[in-house]
Amino acid sequence: MCPASIKLWLLATQRCLHTFTHHTDSVWSLFSTHPSLEIFYSGDRSGIVCKVDVEGCSDIAEGECVVICQDADSLSATSTEGVSKLVAMDDNLVWTATGSSSIKRWRVPARRAIRAAALGSGAEDMSTAEQSPCRRYRICRRSRRSL
């Protein structure tokens, strides 16, 4: 098992439903308030924070993964600070904490379903540069591997 992966399990049958492989370094933190974990945040040893949104998708592979930020304390190639704790609020903000005792706040792009509804109603979608504090989006690769 790769420490850079996140596995979604169906506990009733003890079956892995999906393996997310969007991180390239060890995942150190996870956070979600969604009742069925269709939206969650993950942070890794290199400081990368991602938001996975599969809400309303009939297939998990239809969802999206967005890079929210890379914590500046973790930019050094030799750094082992990483993101050790994540907390999100109201689908708008996420806070990260690192081993260096820093806490930072980042803006989060709107839910995939909300953006899709806005596009369907004729409203203009904000550019990715306006939504992301890092001024970039990255759709992460998905893996359909399971145990």
Side-chain angles (χ1 to χ4, degrees):
M1 177 162 105
C2 175
S5 65
I6 300 167
K7 292 189 177 282
L8 179 62
W9 291 86
L10 181 58
L11 296 178
T13 62
Q14 298 181 355
R15 187 173 69 99
C16 179
L17 298 176
H18 192 80
T19 301
F20 298 92
T21 59
H22 53 271
H23 284 282
T24 57
D25 216 333
S26 299
V27 176
W28 282 9
S29 55
L30 290 170
F31 180 84
S32 179
T33 58
H34 196 280
S36 58
L37 298 176
E38 291 180 348
I39 297 173
F40 67 87
Y41 301 85
S42 56
D44 69 19
R45 182 176 181 260
S46 68
I48 296 286
V49 175
C50 298
K51 175 184 178 183
V52 172
D53 184 347
V54 296
E55 186 176 42
C57 295
S58 58
D59 183 357
I60 290 175
E62 294 172 4
E64 72 179 5
C65 173
V66 179
V67 172
I68 302 293
C69 61
Q70 182 166 18
D71 196 306
D73 291 346
S74 305
L75 292 177
S76 167
T78 60
S79 174
T80 57
E81 297 300 324
V83 175
S84 57
K85 181 73 174 172
L86 291 167
V87 176
M89 183 181 85
D90 299 332
D91 290 328
N92 295 317
L93 299 169
V94 65
W95 283 265
T96 58
T98 65
S100 66
S101 301
S102 71
I103 298 174
K104 295 182 182 167
R105 183 184 70 185
W106 310 89
R107 291 203 183 279
V108 176
R111 289 182 179 200
R112 187 186 60 78
I114 292 171
R115 291 192 325 270
L119 285 173
S121 69
E124 274 189 48
D125 190 26
M126 290 181 2
S127 73
T128 57
E130 293 169 340
Q131 291 180 352
S132 174
C134 293
R135 306 271 186 236
R136 65 182 174 138
Y137 268 90
R138 182 176 85 187
I139 302 300
C140 303
R141 70 182 187 277
R142 300 231 179 250
S143 171
R144 291 182 169 223
R145 290 179 293 146
S146 62
L147 294 180

